[in-house]
Amino acid sequence: MMSPLGAATSMLLLLLVSGRSLSAPRSFSIDYQNDCFRKDGERFRYISGSIHYNRIPRVYWKDRLLKMYMAGLNAIQTYIPWNYHEDSPGQYNFSGDRDLIHFLQLAQDVGLLVILRPGPYICAEWDMGGLPAWLLRNKDIVLRSSNPDYIAAVDQWMGKLLPMIKPYLYQNGGPIITVQVENEYGSYFACDYNYLRHLTKLFRSHLGQEVVLFTTDGAGLGYLKCGSIEGLYATVDFGPGANITAAFGAQRYAEPRGPLVNSEFYTGWLDNWGSPHASVSPEAVTKTLNEMLAKGANVNMYMFIGGTNFAYWNGANGPYKPQPTSYDYDAPLTEAGDLTKKYFAIQSVIKMYHKIPVGPVPPTTPKYAYGSVEMKKLQTISEALDKLSMSGPVRSKDPLTFTELKQNFGFVLYRTTLPVNCSKPTPLSSPLNGIHDRAYVSVDGVAAGILERSKVIAINVTGKAGSQLDILVENLGRINYGKEINDFKGIVSALNLATVPLTNWTMYSLSIDEAVSEGLLGAREATHRAPPQPVALSPPTFYGGSFIIPDGIPDLPQDTYIQLPKWRKGQIWINGFNLGRYWPSRGPQVTLFVPANVLSTAAPNNVTVLELEGAPCSSGPCTVEFTTDPILNGPVHGDHTRRRIPFAKEDLL
Ligand SMILES: *[C@@H]1O[C@H](CO)[C@@H](O)[C@H](O)[C@H]1NC(C)=O
Ligand SMILES: *[C@@H]1O[C@H](CO)[C@@H](O)[C@H](O)[C@H]1NC(C)=O
Ligand SMILES: *[C@@H]1O[C@H](CO)[C@@H](O)[C@H](O)[C@H]1NC(C)=O
Ligand SMILES: *[C@@H]1O[C@H](CO)[C@@H](O)[C@H](O)[C@H]1NC(C)=O
Ligand SMILES: *[C@@H]1O[C@H](CO)[C@@H](O)[C@H](O)[C@H]1NC(C)=O
Ligand SMILES: *[C@@H]1O[C@H](CO)[C@@H](O)[C@H](O)[C@H]1NC(C)=O
C-alpha cells in the first residue's frame, strides 16, 4: 500500500513529468558536435540487446523483456520479418504471436527503448532474410535493388507497416528511438545507391523528418562503401576480440562525427546442421563490451536472447547449409529464456557504467520431464495423400517449383512413373544440383534413397517400367545471406533417369500443418499395403502418440524439451503447434524447446511426428521423451570440414 505522503509525492512527480513534457517535447537526435545521441536534450548512450519477437511465444515476451531490463539494458533491438506478416500478397497478419504493436507496447511498459530494424531485408538467419518467397513469382526479380517489381512490393509493404509504427516513435510518445534502413547492404553484390535513396525517401515520407534513420554494416571500408549513404547514420557491427579502435575507425570513415555505435556485438554465433554448436566464452564477450563502454560507445548485443525457429522459419547459408530449429545463439539468455553465467557477467560490466535497476531478476522458468511417450505408426505420406493435398494435384511435363505451385514452406510430393525397365541399378540424378533441398525417393512405395542439395546429386533406382516414382521434396529453409537469396524450392532443374529427363509429373502441394491441427491423420492403423521396409530407410511416415499431464502437481504445464532417441530426421507437432525440424542424426541440436503454452492439462496432449528416413519402431522402443535439459551441442555428422571463423562476414558468403 502506498502511504498518503507517497501518493502525494507521486502526484507531484506526475505533474512535474507531464509539466516538462508540455514545455519540452520528447526528442531523440544525433549531436554531431559532441559525438553522442541526445534524448530530451540530454546526452544519451544506449546499451541494448537483440530479441526477435518472432522467435518467442507471445506469453513469454514480458518475461524476456523484464530479464533484459534487469540486466541493465536501456534499449532492445528487434527486426521485423516481412514474410512473417505478409504470407501472400496483401494478406497481413499482426495478431497473436505476430502482434508487433503489442510487443512494442510491452517493451515500453517494461521501461525499454526500441531500436527498430524493419528491413525490408533483415538477414537474421530467417527464411530468405525476411523477404517473402512470393517475390520469386517474378523469376528474374533482382531482390534488394531498384528492380520495379521488387520496389512495388516494398512500397506496398512499407505503406502498410510504417504508418503502424509511426505513433510508437519516441517523439510521438512511443519507445522507438532509431530505425534502421535495409540491413548490411554493403555485403550485397548489387551496390545500388538508387535503391538506398528510394528507401530513405520512403521511410521519411511515412515516418517524418525527425526520426534518426541509420544503417549497419561490417566494420570495414569495403562494406561501408556500398552500405552507407547520405541521410542515414552509418553504424558498424563486430564481435568479441575485435580491435575496437580499428572497428570504430571504420565507422569514422563514414561518419567523421556523431556517436560510436556497434549495432551487432556478437554474444555468440549461429549454428548450422552438421557443424559444431557455437560457443563464445563470457570472458571474451565482457572484455570487448567493457572496452566499448569505456570508450563511450553505444552497443547492441546480438543476440541477448535468440529463441527458436519454430515451424519452417530457419534460414540457410550458401553454399547450402541450413540452420537448425534452435536459435539459442549461446546468448546470455538461453533459447528458453534461462539466466546464464554470461547474463550475470554482462550485468556486472554494465553496472560499472550505468545505474542498473534494483530488485530480483525474474527467475529461470521451471522445466518438467513428462517422461516418454509411446508412438504409433499412422500413415505414410502417400497413404494420407488425399487428406494432405487439399488443393489437389497439378500436372505438368516438367517439374514445377514451390513458387509456381504457390507453396511457401514444407513439402511437395512429386510423382511420375519409370518410363523404362530399370532392372539394373540406374542413376536418378540432378546434374544441375536442382533438388532444393532434400528429396525422399521411393519406387512403388519402397524407399529407394535420399537426394540432398550440394551433397548427394545421384542415387540408383531399380523397378519396372510403369512403377510409381514418388519424390517427397523438403524445403529446408531459404538462403538468408549473400547473392543466392533467390532460392527457389522443389525440383528446380531436370531430374534424369540415366541420361533422360523425367517428364509427366503430378505434383501435390501438401498442407501438412492444416491436416495435423485438424486431426485428419487420425489414429488409423497402418494399412500394411507396402512390402516390409529395409531397416535402412522407410518412406516418409506419420507417427502419433499422446500423454496426459499429471494431476496434483502445482504449476503445470511447465516448459520442457523433447528428444527423439534413434529417430533420424523430420518435423514434430504438439497439439498442432509446429515445433520445428529435428535431425539428431546430423546434429548438433538434439532437443527441441517445448513452451508450456502449447501444452494442455484439460485434454491428452497429441504428439505428431513426420519421420522422413526411418523411425526406430521396427527395431525397438518407439518413443519420444520429454526432459528438463536442453542438448544443443550433440555430435555432428557433416561432411563439410571447413573451419569456421567466428564473427567474420566472409564465413557466411
Ligand atoms: C496469424 O498469426 C497467428 C500467430 O501465428 C495465428 O495464430 C493466426 O492463425 C494467424 N491468422 C491468420 C488469419 O492466418
Ligand atoms: C588496433 O588498431 C589500431 C588502428 O588500426 C592500431 O593502431 C593498433 O595497433 C591495433 N592494435 C592492436 C593490438 O592490434
Ligand atoms: C519391361 O520388361 C518386361 C519384361 O520383364 C517387358 O514385358 C516389357 O515390354 C518391358 N517394358 C519396356 C518399356 O521396356
Ligand atoms: C549405381 O550403380 C552402379 C552399378 O551398380 C554403380 O557403379 C554406381 O556406383 C552406383 N551409383 C550410386 C550413386 O550408387
Ligand atoms: C502421365 O501420367 C499419367 C498418370 O500419372 C498417366 O496416366 C499417363 O499415361 C502418363 N502419360 C505419359 C505420356 O507417360
Ligand atoms: C488430442 O486429440 C484428441 C483426439 O482427437 C482430442 O480429443 C484432444 O482434445 C486433443 N488434445 C488437445 C490438447 O488438443
Side-chain angles (χ1 to χ4, degrees):
M1 278 296 277
M2 195 181 267
S3 70
L5 190 63
T9 317
S10 45
M11 185 64 80
L12 187 68
L13 215 69
L14 210 73
L15 285 171
L16 282 173
V17 169
S18 56
R20 198 205 51 192
S21 70
L22 277 179
S23 55
R26 289 160 65 99
S27 67
F28 194 89
S29 61
I30 291 173
D31 177 347
Y32 287 94
Q33 262 165 20
N34 295 294
D35 296 331
C36 65
F37 288 115
R38 289 213 173 260
K39 180 169 152 283
D40 302 332
E42 308 271 314
R43 191 182 183 94
F44 176 80
R45 179 254 289 275
Y46 65 69
I47 303 176
S48 162
S50 283
I51 168 172
H52 299 154
Y53 60 95
N54 47 302
R55 288 182 156 126
I56 298 170
R58 176 192 175 109
V59 292
Y60 283 132
W61 289 348
K62 191 161 185 191
D63 172 76
R64 311 309 190 241
L65 290 168
L66 263 173
K67 285 171 178 158
M68 294 174 81
Y69 178 75
M70 293 308 293
L73 306 182
N74 55 10
I76 57 154
Q77 193 201 63
T78 189
Y79 280 128
I80 299 175
W82 180 2
N83 55 5
Y84 195 57
H85 294 289
E86 193 177 356
D87 187 47
S88 56
Q91 304 274 312
Y92 302 107
N93 188 344
F94 288 97
S95 66
D97 284 350
R98 301 175 206 224
D99 191 346
L100 166 66
I101 297 301
H102 179 63
F103 179 76
L104 294 174
Q105 194 62 64
L106 274 180
Q108 185 167 26
D109 293 350
V110 164
L112 291 161
L113 297 163
V114 174
I115 298 157
L116 197 68
R117 308 212 284 174
Y121 164 84
I122 62 167
C123 191
E125 288 75 68
W126 189 256
D127 187 78
M128 210 168 148
L131 297 175
W134 49 259
L135 290 171
L136 300 174
R137 288 181 196 171
N138 170 353
K139 278 201 179 83
D140 304 314
I141 197 164
V142 184
L143 301 167
R144 308 178 69 193
S145 80
S146 303
N147 177 286
D149 279 6
Y150 176 70
I151 291 291
V154 167
D155 288 355
Q156 283 243 315
W157 163 237
M158 289 299 170
K160 170 77 184 174
L161 177 69
L162 297 180
M164 288 174 59
I165 296 308
K166 190 175 180 186
Y168 293 87
L169 296 179
Y170 186 78
Q171 56 270 26
N172 298 335
I176 302 168
I177 49 172
T178 62
V179 178
Q180 182 182 293
V181 177
E182 247 284 344
N183 187 72
E184 294 183 334
Y185 191 61
S187 305
Y188 192 56
F189 74 93
C191 196
D192 180 344
Y193 294 112
N194 285 334
Y195 167 54
L196 283 189
R197 279 188 203 106
H198 178 85
L199 289 181
T200 308
K201 267 203 241 155
L202 184 67
F203 277 52
R204 284 270 170 243
S205 74
H206 288 295
L207 299 178
Q209 293 307 307
E210 196 184 332
V211 62
V212 173
L213 298 180
F214 73 102
T215 57
T216 302
D217 279 288
L221 305 195
Y223 300 118
L224 286 154
K225 182 169 163 288
C226 293
S228 58
I229 194 162
E230 182 72 34
L232 304 178
Y233 189 71
T235 74
V236 290
D237 53 21
F238 56 87
N243 176 338
I244 71 158
T245 311
F248 284 128
Q251 190 196 352
R252 280 281 171 254
Y253 157 82
E255 297 291 354
R257 300 304 301 258
L260 296 177
V261 181
N262 183 350
S263 290
E264 287 189 5
F265 174 60
Y266 305 110
T267 59
W269 197 244
L270 62 100
D271 280 349
N272 295 106
W273 289 119
S275 296
H277 179 52
S279 133
V280 175
S281 74
E283 293 72 27
V285 173
T286 50
K287 180 170 179 292
T288 307
L289 177 64
N290 191 19
E291 286 169 17
M292 290 187 293
L293 295 183
K295 221 177 153 81
N298 297 267
V299 179
N300 172 69
M301 285 169 259
Y302 188 100
M303 300 296 297
F304 206 85
I305 172 166
T308 310
N309 298 311
F310 291 115
Y312 311 108
W313 286 112
N314 67 277
N317 300 104
Y320 196 73
K321 280 206 94 177
Q323 297 129 11
T325 302
S326 172
Y327 196 61
D328 177 85
Y329 214 83
D330 197 28
L333 292 171
T334 70
E335 173 177 21
D338 294 355
L339 305 164
T340 66
K341 270 194 201 144
K342 200 178 276 181
Y343 175 94
F344 291 104
I346 288 170
Q347 188 190 44
S348 4
V349 173
I350 296 175
K351 215 183 280 183
M352 292 161 34
Y353 298 91
H354 283 197
K355 228 165 92 182
I356 72 166
V358 287
V361 177
T364 283
T365 46
K367 311 290 183 296
Y368 193 82
Y370 299 97
S372 57
V373 176
E374 184 87 34
M375 301 295 286
K376 252 189 354 201
K377 184 176 168 189
L378 302 176
Q379 288 174 282
T380 65
I381 287 264
S382 306
E383 287 162 354
L385 205 48
D386 52 333
K387 296 165 200 155
L388 298 173
S389 170
M390 297 181 177
S391 51
V394 173
R395 294 196 170 78
S396 149
K397 177 170 169 280
D398 296 314
L400 301 174
T401 65
F402 273 47
T403 309
E404 286 164 327
L405 295 166
K406 296 209 164 45
Q407 173 155 352
N408 290 336
F409 299 105
F411 301 84
V412 169
L413 181 71
Y414 291 77
R415 176 173 282 176
T416 187
T417 50
L418 293 180
V420 293
N421 282 328
C422 302
S423 41
K424 290 204 203 85
T426 309
L428 176 73
S429 70
S430 179
L432 299 178
N433 194 22
I435 294 296
H436 290 187
D437 305 294
R438 212 156 184 266
Y440 308 89
V441 181
S442 59
V443 178
D444 284 337
V446 180
I450 299 170
L451 294 162
E452 187 176 334
R453 181 173 179 180
S454 304
K455 281 210 158 84
V456 182
I457 61 161
I459 57 169
N460 282 331
V461 294
T462 55
K464 288 203 183 66
S467 292
Q468 180 173 292
L469 180 65
D470 273 357
I471 302 179
L472 182 74
V473 179
E474 177 182 14
N475 166 358
L476 269 172
R478 292 184 184 80
I479 291 178
N480 61 273
Y481 182 86
K483 54 182 185 294
E484 298 170 75
I485 53 174
N486 294 48
D487 192 6
F488 294 90
K489 295 304 183 185
I491 301 181
V492 307
S493 61
L495 187 64
N496 293 351
L497 186 64
T499 56
V500 181
L502 287 166
T503 57
N504 193 23
W505 291 94
T506 305
M507 286 151 294
Y508 299 83
S509 279
L510 303 185
S511 307
I512 297 180
D513 290 82
E514 287 80 347
V516 171
S517 23
E518 287 166 29
L520 297 183
L521 301 167
R524 192 163 80 109
E525 287 303 316
T527 56
H528 301 296
R529 195 159 50 84
Q533 302 299 326
V535 187
L537 207 58
S538 314
T541 304
F542 290 100
Y543 294 81
S546 68
F547 66 101
I548 291 169
I549 295 185
D551 267 344
I553 302 174
D555 301 330
L556 292 187
Q558 290 171 353
D559 293 349
T560 184
Y561 298 93
I562 192 167
Q563 61 179 330
L564 298 98
K566 304 226 168 69
W567 297 69
R568 284 158 67 170
K569 183 184 192 319
Q571 199 84 28
I572 180 159
W573 293 259
I574 294 189
N575 296 329
F577 181 85
N578 190 333
L579 288 175
R581 305 171 211 274
Y582 65 89
W583 203 351
S585 61
R586 182 73 49 99
Q589 181 177 0
V590 174
T591 55
L592 280 85
F593 176 53
V594 183
N597 59 288
V598 310
L599 302 175
S600 170
T601 47
N605 293 279
N606 301 309
V607 183
T608 311
V609 171
L610 170 59
E611 168 60 47
L612 297 161
E613 299 185 1
C617 306
S618 53
S619 55
C622 181
T623 60
V624 298
E625 289 170 14
F626 291 98
T627 71
T628 52
D629 297 301
I631 305 171
L632 299 176
N633 61 350
V636 292
H637 306 276
D639 52 8
H640 287 234
T641 45
R642 196 159 61 100
R643 214 167 66 85
R644 291 156 39 85
I645 316 155
F647 325 124
K649 294 287 158 192
E650 287 74 11
D651 191 37
L652 299 176
L653 280 175

